[in-house]
Amino acid sequence: MKFDKRIVAPSLIAADFSKIGDEVARASGGGGDWLHLDVMDGHFVDNISFGPVLIQSVRGNSGIFLDVHLMITRPDHYLPRFVAAGADGITVHVEAPHEVAQTLRRIRQAGLQAGLALNPATPVEAALPYLDQIDLLLCMTVVPGFGGQAFMPAVLEKIQAAAALRAGRGLDFHIQVDGGIDPVTAARCAAAGANVMVAGSATFGADDMAAAIRQIRNA
Ligand code: DX5
Ligand code: ZN
């Protein structure tokens, strides 16, 4: 089962962008399993981060699994550029305007792991039509757009419901959480059924990233 294993994914959004190569090395050297890449377009969320050019540079310098989270409108339009940049997994939002089933199909056809993201206010039912098309369900634990926000405990119920749906249907997708994840909130999410922990501030913000990752892994 995919979801038997705890995966820790440091989020690059919290890195020092003036030394990005060193920061990526700090994440992988510190034991990060995946590198989470938050792509924000200033439309789907009220912030602008980075795009395929940066991801391609990271790909050229690191073998770490690149977990690309597209917080953009029309992810279907930009998809080929993120595939070409070297993403290993691409997650798209159910709330964005695109043909969700078709976009997910295209991600898998490109040989990548397909993820579907739900904002905190979006019920798990919104993912129902797509559950057999995904390798990962992302339950946002903050309103997306900015790092460093407080974890929203109300999302725990949705994680439990997603895990129950997965078991009921005999499916095998990861459940990922993103936003306000630290050792304490990671433990709560894991108890609810999540296995992939995205953490920005709690990893890149730590003096000892290896210790921070270990704490989230063992929480
Ligand atoms: C929200 C981003 C953040 C980020 C994690 O738009 O997706 O959740 O990855 O940042 P922290 O861990 O600082 O909340
Ligand atoms: Zn994210």
Side-chain angles (χ1 to χ4, degrees), residues 50-137:
F50 51 75
V53 172
L54 181 129
I55 293 172
Q56 190 166 9
S57 302
V58 170
R59 171 80 303 155
N61 282 280
S62 175
I64 194 168
F65 184 100
L66 299 182
D67 170 37
V68 175
H69 175 195
L70 296 182
M71 285 166 274
I72 63 175
T73 53
R74 297 299 310 273
D76 53 331
H77 177 74
Y78 291 99
L79 184 61
R81 302 186 212 185
F82 289 97
V83 172
D88 294 296
I90 295 183
T91 297
V92 293
H93 272 263
V94 75
E95 303 88 358
H98 63 121
E99 288 292 336
V100 176
Q102 196 182 18
T103 308
L104 292 170
R105 205 173 304 124
R106 287 170 61 203
I107 297 171
R108 276 190 168 175
Q109 275 168 1
L112 275 58
Q113 175 179 285
L116 185 65
L118 306 179
N119 282 336
T122 303
V124 74
E125 286 72 28
L128 284 179
Y130 314 110
L131 291 183
D132 59 352
Q133 279 193 271
I134 61 174
D135 303 295
L136 177 148
L137 183 70

Side-chain angles (χ1 to χ4, degrees), residues 149-166:
Q149 302 185 75
F151 174 79
M152 296 169 69
V155 181
L156 291 167
E157 257 181 58
K158 181 159 57 184
I159 296 167
Q160 283 170 345
L165 278 166
R166 179 176 63 189

Side-chain angles (χ1 to χ4, degrees), residues 25 44 64 75 92 101 110 120 136 141-142 209 216:
F44 184 74
I64 194 168
V92 293
L136 177 148
T141 41
V142 297
M209 195 184 311
I216 293 170

Side-chain angles (χ1 to χ4, degrees), residues 1 9 15 31 42 103-104 125 149 174 186 197 201 213:
M1 288 289 178
T103 308
L104 292 170
E125 286 72 28
Q149 302 185 75
H174 296 288
M197 309 296 165
S201 318
I213 289 171

Side-chain angles (χ1 to χ4, degrees), residues 11 36-40 69 71 138 140 176 178-179 198:
S11 178
H36 186 79
L37 296 151
D38 283 314
V39 178
M40 306 176 182
H69 175 195
M71 285 166 274
L138 167 52
M140 290 301 303
Q176 182 179 55
D178 182 7
V198 174

Side-chain angles (χ1 to χ4, degrees), residues 8 10 25-32 202-204 206-218:
V8 182
R26 193 156 71 98
S28 54
T203 56
F204 281 99
D207 291 331
D208 185 346
M209 195 184 311
I213 289 171
R214 212 177 310 120
Q215 282 166 15
I216 293 170
R217 188 185 305 290
N218 298 329

